[in-house]
Amino acid sequence: MPTKTASPAKRNARPADGGHTPETYRRWFKDMLLMRRFEEKCGQLYTMQKFGGFCHLYIGQEAILAGMVTAMGQDDRIITGYRDHCHPLVLGETPHRVMAELYGRTTGTSKGKGGSMHYFDKGRHLFGGHGIVGGQIGLGAGIAFADKYRGGKQVTLCMMGDGAVRQGILHETFNMAMTWKLPVVFIIENNQYAMGTSVERTSNVRELYTLGESYDMPGEPVDGMRCEAVHAAIAKACAHCRAGNGPYLLEIKTYRYRGHSMSDPQKYRTKEEVEQYKQQDPIEDVRGTLLRNKWATEAELEAMDEAIRKEVEEAVKFAEESPLPEAKELWEDVYKTPDYPFIKD
Amino acid sequence: MRTIQYREALNEAMSEEMRRDPNVFLMGEEVAEYDGAYKVSKGMLAEFGPQRVIDTPISELGFAAIGVGAAMNGLRPIVEFMTWNFAILASDQIINHAAKMLQMSGGQFHVPIVFRGGNGSAGQLAATHSQSFEAFYANIPGLKVVSPSTPYDAKGLLKSAIRDDDPVLVMESERMYGDKGEVPDGEYLVPIGVADVKRTGTDVTIVSFNKMMKVALAAAEELQKEGIAAEVVDLRTIRPLDTATILASVRKTNRLVVVDENFPMVSVASEVAYRVQKDAFDFLDAPVLRVNQADTPLPFSTPLIDASLPNPARVIAAVKEVMYLRK
Ligand SMILES: Cc1ncc(C[n+]2csc(CCOP(=O)(O)OP(=O)(O)O)c2C)c(N)n1
Ligand SMILES: [Mg+2]
């Protein structure tokens, strides 16, 4: 039976705050709050026309990245689509450089050449930030291919939206990744809409974790509003890959509170539906756990929030004060080979 | 000097580079157990094993993407397309991903990959199997495009392509795989971006590349009998274009005909003609002419193919026109 996409995702059994240390909860709280505050600021700045381009916010989906980074290995690789402001942040890049990229400044992570949809961080194994829906699916398998070729133990976490799964490249990639047993976890962030198109309007197959079945790829649904569930699923999938068993598919059920991008009147869904999800907010959930267990006090969490807001303000100041690229930068980073003879007249 | 086939030259280039660098590998349809659809990779599975010579399913977009991802993560893939006609399915990965990665990552990720395969018409295969793609891909900043016409150039350019840190597209030809030519025993490279004057002359310049070089050289031979000395410039690389060699030749001969299998609209010939009128206008004694494939898809029937593709007679007619020898 297809799930009704417009109803809250079914909860996995909730571990009794189990298995995770207070430090992990604190980290989840801090990471998610940084993502949330950073992007709330992005939304404001965008509305104030401080920068241009597209601006796709991750707000509502933060538990996925928070739970993912505590479960994955230091050297594991990440690749994703264009809803990617939070990926460098959660991996440890400063909000300053992430913000500067949005502003198109030389101090940005891609020197202002990639913008909102193209965050890369080679040192932290973030392979982008890709604006072509689905393009990263094959790239992710290729990253895993290289690691396997060299006999490495890394796993690639290849993220995509529920819309991206309808691209043909998914099927080609799933097939080859399974045939060659590539160490890649395919992660569908099912926020139930691709722009204004709901999952149920794009296919008869709405249980997206079953999409690997024709290739014998194991898959399972995950509650994307709970860090614990994401952490557990990623840990299991990574272990599966690292043991040489080939790919694993996770459909992480989530929700974006904001529009697809900043120019989205959201006629395709109701306010009630959005509210329903906000009631399950992952940040509030982790806050509750921290307080209930007396792992943190209200005052401590408030102070954390204050510090994050301040850091975000500083990031904005840094971005606004950073230099814009000079015109000669146009000719840099197009070819690796030095002195490429561009046609200039 | 020994003579070997064009396909053998390509095979030597790949095999030598794979012996030299363990990060180089070959993937594509039928490259391993079948020894290559056109036998370019003959014997390579036996030498390098299935880890490095990899048969793929018929999934051009998917395996091109796996190649690009592997290149981002430190390998140097050679991706063979059975022909460039089929690589259209992979063009998103070539154009939107391989070509853009370095810039969009602010210089963090480069993509040292080679895409190669047969290009252009190849007999009576009809419209979908008969296209040339040099102009299409040369339009894209971030890519390099080479299109060798001889076994010597094919080997030297493919070796350079494999060592290059940028994505390089190698346009071969089903019609040339069996061609024989001199190739030295020792190692050599042909640099990317350097054209080659394959025949010297003083009366007219003919610029061409890939298998149209045969047409250009045959026309030059005929013209010689009539006392016309044509200089034939083989571009070898389409992007970046070696404009210096083209301009030097035109400044000497004052006349130019470009022979190009691409369709005429925004073709390689168009770009060459633009460059020459821009930088050698005062040296031209006649308008630049071009001989391209006709501005239609290439049909099946032989007389229609003959009416479309460049041939020596059309080139000779164009040369006579730029020399004002034609009625
Ligand atoms: C190949 C391609 N087609 C269309 C688009 C335009 N587009 C951008 S995002 C998007 C929706 C994708 O939705 P989904 O994969 O669910 O990701 P989400 O936005 O929900 O994170 C579309 C159609 C694109 N960028 N690339
Ligand atoms: Mg979606």
Side-chain angles (χ1 to χ4, degrees):
Chain A
M1 278 288 286
T3 38
K4 285 251 340 269
T5 48
S7 68
K10 208 168 83 212
R11 285 284 120 73
N12 291 357
R14 170 92 174 269
D17 305 339
H20 297 292
T21 61
E23 282 65 45
T24 301
Y25 278 95
R26 259 202 284 270
R27 176 166 178 198
W28 284 340
F29 184 75
K30 198 172 162 200
D31 281 353
M32 288 194 292
L33 207 56
L34 173 62
M35 296 187 245
R36 180 73 54 94
R37 298 291 179 245
F38 183 88
E39 288 216 304
E40 285 168 349
K41 184 52 91 179
C42 292
Q44 278 172 23
L45 295 165
Y46 190 86
T47 312
M48 293 159 68
Q49 298 187 319
K50 292 281 190 180
F51 47 80
F54 288 142
C55 183
H56 311 94
L57 302 181
Y58 198 64
I59 293 176
Q61 304 183 204
E62 294 95 338
I64 300 177
L65 280 179
M68 197 172 101
V69 290
T70 52
M72 63 188 273
Q74 274 278 318
D75 291 333
D76 289 342
R77 288 73 161 81
I78 297 180
I79 186 165
T80 188
Y82 49 83
R83 199 175 292 285
D84 63 339
H85 306 161
C86 292
H87 296 66
L89 286 179
V90 81
L91 291 172
E93 179 56 273
T94 63
H96 300 61
R97 295 193 65 215
V98 179
M99 189 63 84
E101 187 62 27
L102 286 175
Y103 273 80
R105 306 294 162 131
T106 56
T107 52
T109 46
S110 289
K111 307 182 206 168
K113 295 176 182 182
S116 165
M117 299 190 286
H118 307 106
Y119 281 97
F120 293 79
D121 189 338
K122 194 169 190 179
R124 296 181 178 89
H125 315 302
L126 174 60
F127 284 72
H130 296 274
I132 299 296
V133 169
Q136 79 276 19
I137 302 173
L139 295 175
I143 295 161
F145 176 97
D147 286 324
K148 182 174 166 133
Y149 183 95
R150 284 187 293 257
K153 276 287 164 206
Q154 300 89 342
V155 170
T156 298
L157 300 157
C158 178
M159 308 174 81
M160 68 200 83
D162 49 278
V165 306
R166 309 305 184 192
Q167 288 281 25
I169 193 170
L170 177 118
H171 297 276
E172 298 186 15
T173 302
F174 276 15
N175 182 44
M176 282 182 278
M178 278 305 291
T179 309
W180 300 337
K181 289 211 168 5
L182 302 181
V184 51
V185 183
F186 295 106
I187 298 168
I188 304 167
E189 295 187 89
N190 181 1
N191 61 13
Q192 313 185 30
Y193 294 93
M195 296 186 68
T197 305
S198 66
V199 169
E200 59 207 10
R201 290 205 293 127
T202 59
S203 174
N204 291 334
V205 181
R206 294 146 191 192
E207 299 285 6
L208 303 182
Y209 67 91
T210 65
L211 283 178
E213 278 177 3
S214 350
Y215 310 103
D216 291 342
M217 189 185 297
E220 61 185 79
V222 181
D223 177 359
M225 303 305 269
R226 293 295 169 258
C227 293
E228 296 93 334
V230 173
H231 179 106
I234 297 284
K236 177 179 166 190
C238 285
H240 175 93
C241 288
R242 239 184 286 282
N245 298 317
Y248 205 93
L249 175 61
L250 299 175
E251 177 196 356
I252 306 191
K253 294 179 193 275
T254 183
Y255 202 76
R256 64 167 156 73
Y257 300 171
R258 301 294 186 90
H260 164 73
S261 63
M262 295 300 294
S263 55
D264 174 3
Q266 305 183 52
K267 289 190 182 141
Y268 49 86
R269 63 184 187 185
T270 62
K271 286 209 171 60
E272 291 70 34
E273 181 184 307
V274 181
E275 271 317 307
Q276 222 180 343
Y277 279 94
K278 286 187 179 172
Q279 294 308 313
Q280 313 161 33
D281 188 62
I283 302 181
E284 286 310 310
D285 182 69
V286 171
R287 179 199 298 279
T289 306
L290 285 167
L291 295 176
R292 196 167 54 248
N293 291 290
K294 303 205 178 349
W295 291 336
T297 63
E298 287 272 12
E300 277 169 347
L301 300 185
E302 204 45 54
M304 222 186 257
D305 197 356
E306 264 321 300
I308 286 170
R309 285 175 194 273
K310 189 155 163 271
E311 195 183 8
V312 171
E313 284 305 333
E314 281 164 7
V316 175
K317 187 161 181 288
F318 172 82
E320 291 184 348
E321 288 173 0
S322 288
L324 286 161
E326 290 176 43
K328 67 175 170 31
E329 265 300 307
L330 186 58
W331 310 103
E332 302 297 327
D333 302 321
V334 178
Y335 290 95
K336 186 80 175 166
T337 320
D339 305 322
Y340 180 87
F342 290 99
I343 296 174
K344 294 189 177 178
D345 60 354
Chain B
M1 205 188 293
R2 69 185 178 130
T3 59
I4 61 172
Q5 290 182 353
Y6 190 98
R7 64 161 60 81
E8 292 168 324
L10 293 166
N11 182 303
E12 286 186 2
M14 293 192 287
S15 298
E16 286 174 18
E17 293 306 303
M18 284 176 65
R19 283 175 211 129
R20 181 176 172 268
D21 182 350
N23 287 327
V24 180
F25 70 97
L26 172 66
M27 75 192 311
E29 292 157 21
E30 310 291 357
V31 298
E33 301 211 352
Y34 197 80
D35 269 340
Y38 295 97
K39 305 296 171 224
V40 172
S41 54
K42 189 171 176 194
M44 289 178 66
L45 173 64
E47 178 174 356
F48 298 104
Q51 309 303 322
R52 298 183 69 196
V53 181
I54 301 161
D55 277 328
T56 66
I58 307 160
S59 304
E60 283 83 3
L61 177 61
F63 69 73
I66 288 175
V68 176
M72 289 175 76
N73 194 8
L75 300 186
R76 305 186 82 87
I78 305 168
V79 173
E80 176 175 311
F81 294 118
M82 203 173 278
T83 85
W84 277 99
N85 294 286
F86 315 141
I88 292 176
L89 284 95
S91 57
D92 172 56
Q93 282 296 324
I94 300 170
I95 295 173
N96 272 330
H97 294 86
K100 311 291 193 276
M101 208 64 76
L102 188 69
Q103 188 198 58
M104 293 206 305
S105 67
Q108 295 183 70
F109 285 95
H110 67 292
V111 181
I113 193 169
V114 171
F115 296 106
R116 46 160 291 269
N119 182 58
S121 64
Q124 289 184 275
L125 304 182
T128 61
H129 285 53
S130 305
Q131 302 162 96
S132 296
F133 289 93
E134 286 94 348
F136 182 83
Y137 287 107
N139 189 241
I140 306 299
L143 301 178
K144 296 178 182 176
V145 181
V146 304
S147 191
S149 72
T150 65
Y152 178 90
D153 289 343
K155 179 172 178 181
L157 278 168
L158 179 52
K159 282 170 69 81
S160 293
I162 294 167
R163 292 186 196 184
D164 201 280
D165 279 335
D166 294 305
V168 183
L169 282 55
V170 183
M171 306 285 176
E172 302 160 6
S173 164
E174 299 98 294
R175 276 300 170 90
M176 289 196 296
Y177 284 133
D179 285 3
K180 288 194 150 187
E182 290 192 341
V183 173
D185 276 315
E187 175 163 301
Y188 67 94
L189 298 170
V190 171
I192 292 172
V194 180
D196 184 36
V197 178
K198 287 276 190 315
R199 180 187 177 112
T200 54
T202 49
D203 298 330
V204 61
T205 298
I206 304 175
V207 165
S208 191
F209 55 94
N210 202 285
K211 73 172 180 291
M212 288 302 116
M213 273 298 296
K214 294 190 201 190
V215 173
L217 287 167
E221 197 62 40
E222 278 305 305
L223 288 162
Q224 191 63 57
K225 291 177 191 158
E226 299 182 39
I228 298 167
E231 179 148 300
V232 182
V233 176
D234 183 356
L235 293 177
R236 299 199 294 191
T237 298
I238 310 304
R239 183 182 185 93
L241 197 60
D242 178 0
T243 53
T245 300
I246 300 167
L247 291 168
S249 181
V250 172
R251 286 182 183 129
K252 182 173 75 174
T253 65
N254 312 114
R255 297 163 207 276
L256 173 63
V257 171
V258 188
V259 187
D260 172 5
E261 196 182 335
N262 287 254
F263 299 118
M265 183 83 180
V266 289
S267 58
V268 176
S270 313
E271 182 60 26
V272 170
Y274 167 79
R275 180 54 47 198
V276 167
Q277 65 81 31
K278 167 76 174 45
D279 290 341
F281 189 76
D282 292 342
F283 291 86
L284 284 174
D285 286 346
V288 176
L289 290 189
R290 63 182 179 186
V291 181
N292 286 84
Q293 181 175 163
D295 194 21
T296 75
L298 193 72
F300 170 76
S301 188
T302 309
L304 299 176
I305 294 174
D306 292 345
S308 170
L309 291 182
N311 57 36
R314 286 177 64 200
V315 177
I316 290 165
V319 165
K320 290 186 175 173
E321 196 170 329
V322 300
M323 297 188 72
Y324 300 110
L325 292 172
R326 211 169 132 212
K327 296 264 125 52

